[in-house]
Amino acid sequence: MIESAKRLNTVKEYYFSKKLREVRGLMAAGKPIINMGIGSPDLKPPTKVLEAIQGSLNDVSAHKYQSYQGLPELRNAITNFYKNKFSVHTNPENEVLPLMGSKEGIMHISMAFLNEGDKALIPNPGYPTYTSVTKLVGAEPLFYNLSDATNWQPNFTELEQQDLSDVKIMWVNYPHMPTGTNATLETFEKLVAFGKKHQILIINDNPYSFILNDNPISILQVAGAKDIALELNSLSKTFNMAGWRVGMVLGNANFINEILKVKSNMDSGMFYGIQKGAVEALQLSDNWFVAQNKVYQERRKLIWQLADKLDAKYSKNATGLFVWAKIPEGKKSEEVTDAVLYDKDIFITPGTIFGSQGEGYIRFSLCVTKEIIKEAINRL
């Protein structure tokens, strides 16, 4: 018997991998399951993007190994996108690195900067991958609590009271998933100052910037942020290209070069056609965001009705692809979601998968049609 690596003892199978297998089993047994659990966009990518990948297939270099740093035109497109949308200036030669999805970047950054025994500050609630990757590289998660009382912003008084001596990086995620709360420039300024004070690399994971958000911001807008901060972003949500696996990390050249050392040993470059499609996506006008958000606004209003049926409370100011809702006092998140799944054939996400601070909350995805949401309302 060949034993698996000890590092696998530190993590479990990803919740959605396991739960969706159960959901598929229920569907195979004839259950008419409505899946409102995951944020996998059901809308199509832009037409120009599809045309770009189709038109690239006969290019001379289309099927060769590609550069580990991505096509120059892709790095230029990312640079121009950040300049136009965030007023952030980066050097496309060495301050931008395309990724095969920003989730890949979480692993690459962790491998580049965390040693065994180091600690990583992780939001609670927060994206579970921050925790699992930290454990896989032999580092220790150190959670910092977010709560509705502080509008899901970091409590810097509490942070300063923690033992930060072995903390190497801090994961930040605004607009925040799962709550949909946006950051403020004041929060980002405090994070940059905090990182410089304690020599902690701050990474803002920013894939929800343009979904139902009137004020997209980047941590790199803060003066001096490049000295201590990186930002991840993705085309998955913004342009409905989740399966394409296109992301990016931006920051100063020294940080990017360390990440490239990891990345260049783990893949052989992103497919040429996908890069060409990504270039087209990043050059689209704001009309794309307006049209997409109109669809999500209509869906969100119906999701609010669904939450009302469960006596759950929510913020109408939240952004992103989800509705985060507080269930009545005394009820447990997983009990509520399991009851809805088994009694009403509706799959929604319990807040507890995002951390202990998610207890008492549930999360609905907007990646379902209005007709399906109306059916879910009728079932309740």
Side-chain angles (χ1 to χ4, degrees):
M1 177 76 178
I2 304 297
E3 293 186 1
S4 58
K6 291 180 180 178
R7 69 176 63 89
L8 292 184
N9 295 330
T10 67
V11 297
K12 298 179 181 179
E13 183 182 4
Y14 191 47
Y15 171 84
F16 286 115
S17 173
K18 182 178 180 181
K19 196 67 177 181
L20 289 175
R21 189 163 57 246
E22 179 186 352
V23 169
R24 287 192 295 270
L26 292 171
M27 295 174 70
K31 293 286 187 178
I33 303 295
I34 292 175
N35 186 350
M36 293 181 163
I38 62 173
S40 180
D42 62 314
L43 302 174
K44 289 184 178 181
T47 301
K48 285 186 177 181
V49 173
L50 299 177
E51 292 173 347
I53 189 171
Q54 290 168 349
S56 73
L57 297 181
N58 290 320
D59 289 1
V60 173
S61 299
H63 307 289
K64 296 180 178 180
Y65 288 125
Q66 300 299 314
S67 165
Y68 301 108
Q69 293 175 281
L71 294 172
E73 52 260 53
L74 176 55
R75 283 184 274 114
N76 283 324
I78 294 170
T79 295
N80 290 332
F81 185 83
Y82 258 72
K83 178 182 177 181
N84 294 333
K85 305 303 182 187
F86 299 115
S87 298
V88 167
H89 296 268
T90 54
N91 185 339
E93 292 298 318
N94 54 21
E95 292 186 328
V96 172
L97 182 62
L99 303 168
M100 293 181 188
S102 57
K103 190 173 184 179
E104 179 192 70
I106 296 171
M107 175 59 83
H108 290 351
I109 291 168
S110 297
M111 292 184 71
F113 294 102
L114 291 176
N115 294 312
E116 288 190 18
D118 286 340
K119 295 179 181 177
L121 281 166
I122 295 172
N124 177 16
Y127 185 33
T129 297
Y130 306 141
T131 301
S132 58
V133 166
T134 299
K135 291 179 177 179
L136 283 171
V137 300
E140 179 183 342
L142 182 62
F143 297 101
Y144 63 96
N145 289 341
L146 305 177
S147 72
D148 190 39
T150 57
N151 194 30
W152 308 101
Q153 306 290 316
N155 185 322
F156 288 92
T157 301
E158 290 184 358
L159 279 168
E160 291 287 357
Q161 292 172 349
Q162 298 204 52
D163 179 3
L164 304 172
S165 55
D166 294 319
V167 174
K168 196 81 169 289
I169 65 177
M170 178 179 183
W171 291 104
V172 181
N173 169 217
Y174 290 104
H176 184 244
M177 198 289 294
T179 70
T181 304
N182 209 353
T184 64
L185 277 177
E186 180 184 9
T187 293
F188 282 156
E189 287 168 354
K190 289 180 178 179
L191 283 164
V192 168
F194 177 79
K196 288 184 177 181
K197 177 181 177 180
H198 297 284
Q199 283 302 288
I200 296 171
L201 178 62
I202 310 293
I203 308 108
N204 184 45
D205 190 11
N206 192 14
Y208 297 96
S209 316
F210 299 94
I211 307 297
L212 296 173
N213 185 11
D214 294 329
N215 184 34
I217 58 176
S218 163
I219 196 171
L220 298 180
Q221 290 175 241
V222 174
K226 282 186 189 177
D227 297 336
I228 203 68
L230 292 165
E231 182 152 290
L232 288 167
N233 215 317
S234 168
L235 275 63
S236 294
K237 321 295 184 181
T238 305
F239 299 104
N240 305 324
M241 295 164 63
W244 294 47
R245 309 312 304 138
V246 184
M248 63 204 78
V249 58
L250 301 94
N252 76 49
N254 291 330
F255 292 152
I256 295 298
N257 188 56
E258 297 305 295
I259 300 167
L260 180 59
K261 289 178 184 177
V262 175
K263 177 177 171 55
S264 62
N265 281 289
M266 294 187 71
D267 68 57
S268 297
M270 190 188 305
F271 177 56
Y272 176 87
I274 287 177
Q275 294 189 68
K276 298 295 268 188
V279 170
E280 286 296 323
L282 291 164
Q283 294 174 345
L284 290 172
S285 74
D286 286 346
N287 291 336
W288 165 257
F289 305 114
V290 172
Q292 181 164 256
N293 282 326
K294 182 179 178 182
V295 174
Y296 287 135
Q297 285 166 355
E298 293 172 350
R299 293 179 178 185
R300 185 172 61 177
K301 288 179 181 178
L302 290 171
I303 291 287
W304 288 341
Q305 293 181 35
L306 191 61
D308 290 339
K309 290 271 190 176
L310 295 171
D311 295 322
K313 307 301 180 184
Y314 46 85
S315 169
K316 291 189 175 182
N317 296 320
T319 65
L321 272 182
F322 308 99
V323 170
W324 178 253
K326 185 174 179 59
I327 57 180
E329 292 292 336
K331 292 189 175 183
K332 298 290 187 180
S333 298
E334 292 192 33
E335 291 176 359
V336 170
T337 56
D338 280 348
V340 171
L341 175 60
Y342 302 132
D343 297 342
K344 304 296 183 180
D345 297 323
I346 302 170
F347 173 48
I348 54 180
T349 305
T352 46
I353 76 161
F354 305 106
S356 60
Q357 290 290 100
E359 181 59 87
Y361 293 86
I362 54 178
R363 192 194 73 173
F364 303 85
S365 170
L366 300 182
C367 300
V368 283
T369 65
K370 290 191 296 181
E371 292 70 26
I372 291 175
I373 302 172
K374 289 176 182 177
E375 168 61 21
I377 292 171
N378 289 334
R379 292 186 188 181
L380 293 178

